[in-house]
């Protein structure tokens, strides 16, 4: 489900950066052009799969055979993730309205899970439950929360190779995915912002004569002295950009989970923290990476401000944002040394975000690394326990 969030907005990025011009001038068949991006998304999905399973393997290394563990994972996931990667790509690039994109993608995703046995056993859920039945264990016991992860792994520890039941369906699924990608490649991708009504895209559609110098004037930032080259002045400028770019919808979601984190029981606190941290990755897109998205970072480099302030100001704002986000968690911990260690961890994360986005001129790597790191908490075997969470 995270895969669609990773590619969401890529079409707009291509249009703003002008990448599509190179594609249109290329003599390659549209299927090959699309295949490159589908393959890239597919590799990202395999990376997510590897990391999420790696935490399980490392936590139970003495109880499982790595080879016998990996073979069924690949059998179930290789064809399924190829289909999902293709689905994500064409929904993002062929459809215009972003709300319609999300509705169609998650509707299809849910239907694939519910009707797995009627749709070529795409997700593998039906086949997995057949394996459970052979163990003479009630299927209902495997619902999330009914039985601990350790007991499940001990119960289904693989001692020998299990022959798959629906190999021909998996091969048929791969053929169907490739054929569908080939046929969909004949549909021309629209390169105009036609149905999206967001402020950013409406601004892009304005002609150059409609854009006035006042739109970019520093006078729009209150209480900033144009001749003041201090850190305080740069902080005011960055805080202004942070404030005006965050959407009301994202702010509402953030404060909802943030407010709940003060009152939820310990059993639900981890889920709330993960949701807050996942929402916090949006800071890369609307604040740290926006100047690279619109190719306006050159103006900051031409400022008279000392260049070190460019990083220091953003670092202070990002770290302060994390401290605000984790305030309810800090209050629950109540131990100053641990709180200071967590703040130190997130200062390292802030530096990583700033550095990777600045060097790569995009937010993709930073988003993927952070999402994988935060999601690994769901398995209660985090890759790096930056929160010092007591499970």
């Amino acid at each position: 489900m995270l895969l669609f969030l990773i590619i969401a907005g890529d079409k707009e990025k291509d249009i703003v950066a002008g990448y599509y011009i190179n594609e249109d001038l290329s003599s390659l068949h549209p299927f090959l052009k699309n295949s490159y991006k589908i393959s890239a998304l597919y590799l990202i999905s395999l990376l997510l799969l590897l990391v999420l399973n790696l935490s399980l393997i490392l936590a139970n290394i003495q109880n499982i055979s790595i080879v016998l563990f990996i073979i069924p994972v690949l059998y179930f996931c290789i064809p399924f993730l190829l289909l999902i990667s293709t689905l994500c790509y064409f929904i993002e690039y062929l459809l215009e309205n972003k709300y319609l994109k999300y509705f169609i993608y998650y509707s299809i995703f849910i239907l694939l899970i519910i009707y797995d046995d009627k749709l070529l056993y795409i997700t593998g859920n039906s086949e997995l439950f057949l394996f459970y039945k052979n163990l003479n264990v009630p299927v209902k016991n495997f619902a999330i929360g009914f039985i601990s992860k350790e007991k499940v792994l001990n119960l289904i520890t693989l001692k020998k190779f299990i022959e798959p039941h629906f190999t021909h369906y998996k091969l048929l699924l791969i053929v169907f995915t490739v054929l569908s990608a080939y046929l969909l490649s004949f549909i021309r991708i629209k390169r105009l912002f036609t149905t999206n009504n967001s402020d950013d895209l409406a601004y892009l559609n304005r002609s150059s004569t409609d854009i006035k110098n006042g739109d970019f004037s520093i006078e729009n930032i209150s209480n900033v002295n144009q001749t003041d080259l201090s850190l305080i002045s740069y902080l005011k400028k960055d805080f202004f950009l942070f404030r005006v770019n965050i959407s009301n919808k994202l702010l509402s979601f953030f404060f909802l989970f943030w407010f709940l984190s003060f009152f939820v029981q310990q059993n639900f606190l981890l889920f709330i923290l993960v949701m807050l941290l996942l929402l916090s990755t949006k800071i890369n897109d609307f604040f740290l990476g926006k100047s690279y998205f619109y190719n306006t970072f050159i103006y900051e480099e031409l400022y008279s401000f000392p260049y070190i302030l460019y990083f220091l100001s953003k670092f202070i704002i990002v770290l302060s944002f994390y401290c605000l986000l984790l305030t309810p968690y800090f209050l629950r911990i109540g131990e100053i040394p641990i709180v200071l260690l967590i703040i130190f961890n997130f200062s390292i994360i802030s530096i990583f975000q700033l550095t990777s986005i600045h060097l790569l001129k995009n937010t993709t790597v930073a988003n993927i690394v952070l999402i994988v790191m935060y999601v690994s908490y769901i398995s209660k075997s985090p890759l790096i326990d930056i929160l010092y969470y007591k499970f």
Side-chain angles (χ1 to χ4, degrees), residues 164-300:
H165 292 289
F166 305 111
T167 306
H168 54 292
Y169 284 130
K170 301 297 182 185
L171 296 175
L172 184 61
L173 178 59
I174 294 175
V175 173
F176 170 78
T177 302
V178 175
L179 181 61
S180 299
Y182 180 78
L183 294 176
L184 288 172
S185 295
F186 287 98
I187 302 177
R188 184 175 178 82
I189 297 174
K190 295 182 180 179
R191 305 295 188 178
L192 296 175
F193 300 118
T194 55
T195 61
N196 196 314
N197 295 321
S198 70
D199 294 337
D200 286 340
L201 301 186
Y203 189 84
L204 287 170
N205 280 327
R206 293 164 62 185
S207 66
S208 58
T209 56
D210 294 330
I211 300 176
K212 302 177 182 179
N213 291 333
D215 294 336
F216 299 98
S217 175
I218 197 171
E219 294 175 357
N220 289 327
I221 308 175
S222 60
N223 301 322
V224 172
N225 186 345
Q226 299 182 37
T227 61
D228 184 4
L229 303 182
S230 66
L231 175 61
I232 300 299
S233 177
Y234 211 107
L235 277 170
K236 288 181 179 179
K237 185 270 296 181
D238 276 341
F239 182 72
F240 168 79
L241 294 176
F242 184 94
R243 178 168 51 85
V244 299
N245 284 319
I246 187 170
S247 67
N248 292 331
K249 183 183 298 184
L250 179 61
L251 200 60
S252 300
F253 277 116
F254 174 80
F255 275 111
L256 172 62
F257 286 107
W258 188 75
F259 180 76
L260 289 175
S261 62
F262 281 98
F263 306 103
V264 295
Q265 298 179 354
Q266 187 69 23
N267 295 337
F268 297 99
L269 179 60
L270 180 62
F271 170 76
I272 297 295
L273 285 176
V274 171
M275 290 303 300
L276 277 171
L277 290 170
L278 288 176
L279 286 173
S280 72
T281 59
K282 287 295 183 181
I283 198 175
N284 296 332
D285 298 312
F286 72 75
F287 178 54
L288 296 179
K290 198 155 192 178
S291 60
Y292 302 107
F293 183 88
Y294 292 109
N295 290 326
T296 59
F297 63 94
I298 186 64
Y299 299 113
E300 286 195 320

Side-chain angles (χ1 to χ4, degrees), residues 69-195:
F69 181 90
I70 291 178
I71 290 177
V73 169
L74 297 179
Y75 165 76
F76 280 115
C77 297
I78 289 289
F80 173 65
L81 290 178
L82 180 61
L83 174 68
I84 293 298
S85 300
T86 304
L87 183 66
C88 286
Y89 172 77
F90 283 108
I91 287 179
E92 168 63 21
Y93 277 83
L94 293 182
L95 298 180
E96 298 295 323
N97 188 288
K98 65 178 180 180
Y99 299 107
L100 181 62
K101 292 179 185 179
Y102 281 99
F103 174 77
I104 291 178
Y105 176 74
Y106 288 114
S107 296
I108 293 176
F109 189 85
I110 293 171
L111 289 175
L112 288 177
I113 295 175
I114 296 176
Y115 298 105
D116 175 75
D117 56 338
K118 298 178 177 61
L119 297 171
L120 299 178
Y121 296 90
I122 289 175
T123 65
N125 285 341
S126 300
E127 187 172 358
L128 190 61
F129 282 119
L130 287 176
F131 170 69
Y132 288 157
K133 288 181 179 178
N134 293 333
L135 296 175
N136 296 319
V137 177
V139 173
K140 65 180 181 180
N141 288 343
F142 288 87
I144 295 175
F146 278 83
I147 190 169
S148 69
K149 179 190 65 179
E150 289 76 16
K151 291 181 180 179
V152 171
L153 287 173
N154 289 334
L155 186 63
I156 64 173
T157 296
L158 304 178
K159 302 297 184 182
K160 62 180 180 179
F161 178 72
I162 300 175
E163 184 177 353
H165 292 289
F166 305 111
T167 306
H168 54 292
Y169 284 130
K170 301 297 182 185
L171 296 175
L172 184 61
L173 178 59
I174 294 175
V175 173
F176 170 78
T177 302
V178 175
L179 181 61
S180 299
Y182 180 78
L183 294 176
L184 288 172
S185 295
F186 287 98
I187 302 177
R188 184 175 178 82
I189 297 174
K190 295 182 180 179
R191 305 295 188 178
L192 296 175
F193 300 118
T194 55
T195 61

